[in-house]
Amino acid sequence: MSGAIEAKLAELGITLPEAAAPAANYVPYVKSGNQLFISGQIPQTAAGEKVIGKLGDTMETEAGQEAAKLCAISLIAQMKAATGDLDKVARVVKLVGFVNSTLEFGDQPAVINGASNFMVDVFGDKGRHARSAVSAASLPFGVAVEVEAIVELED
């Protein structure tokens, strides 16, 4: 039986992918006390294709927002893998978003809103979080965005 958060995802038409395995020598998440630290997630489509692009060059803000939303979906998949039950998420504490962008591009916060807005859509007030949104000259595999998270879990 699915919980309230999984019901909300279904209502939004979202099917969680399998939690991605690490691409190098790290773990996808670490639990420490009631905190869950989730490694950076990159944007991948349901078909597993990476969303490649550079904001301000080959990609517009709206497409970057969609890429950030895909990162958020992957973060939630990692939450599910870590807890077995998304209703155990007490709060999304912080997101850190990296935007593959040109020197002139300044809308990194708008791009990462794609992830932030989705967290609030899914978790409601528990999805409101502190956040950083920074530019990066490049990201792994040439992806447009990468987002990591800190989450508080129920005791």
Side-chain angles (χ1 to χ4, degrees):
M1 178 179 206
S2 68
I5 299 302
E6 291 197 48
K8 183 64 177 180
L9 287 166
E11 177 185 316
L12 294 169
I14 302 297
T15 300
L16 288 180
E18 290 294 318
N25 187 17
Y26 62 91
V27 294
Y29 57 81
V30 171
K31 286 189 209 178
S32 180
N34 68 341
Q35 291 188 317
L36 181 65
F37 297 83
I38 305 172
S39 296
Q41 301 295 298
I42 61 174
Q44 295 190 78
T45 67
E49 297 173 359
K50 293 173 181 68
V51 178
I52 308 297
K54 184 175 275 294
L55 279 292
D57 182 16
T58 62
M59 185 177 279
E60 299 295 325
T61 300
E62 295 75 19
Q65 289 170 336
E66 286 301 313
K69 178 180 175 181
L70 290 172
C71 293
I73 292 168
S74 292
L75 287 167
I76 294 170
Q78 293 292 353
M79 291 176 206
K80 170 86 182 209
T83 65
D85 179 0
L86 291 171
D87 289 342
K88 292 181 180 177
V89 173
R91 174 154 205 155
V92 178
V93 176
K94 183 168 186 180
L95 296 183
V96 179
F98 303 92
V99 180
N100 185 354
S101 56
T102 64
L103 290 174
E104 300 77 25
F105 186 80
D107 282 340
Q108 290 83 3
V111 170
I112 300 304
N113 277 346
S116 293
N117 293 344
F118 189 70
M119 289 298 184
V120 174
D121 289 345
V122 172
F123 293 101
D125 282 340
K126 295 190 304 186
R128 297 191 186 284
H129 52 271
R131 186 183 87 182
S132 298
V134 298
S135 179
S138 67
L139 289 172
F141 311 109
V143 296
V145 181
E146 181 174 346
V147 183
E148 64 182 52
I150 302 171
V151 176
E152 181 183 355
L153 302 174
E154 298 287 343
D155 291 328

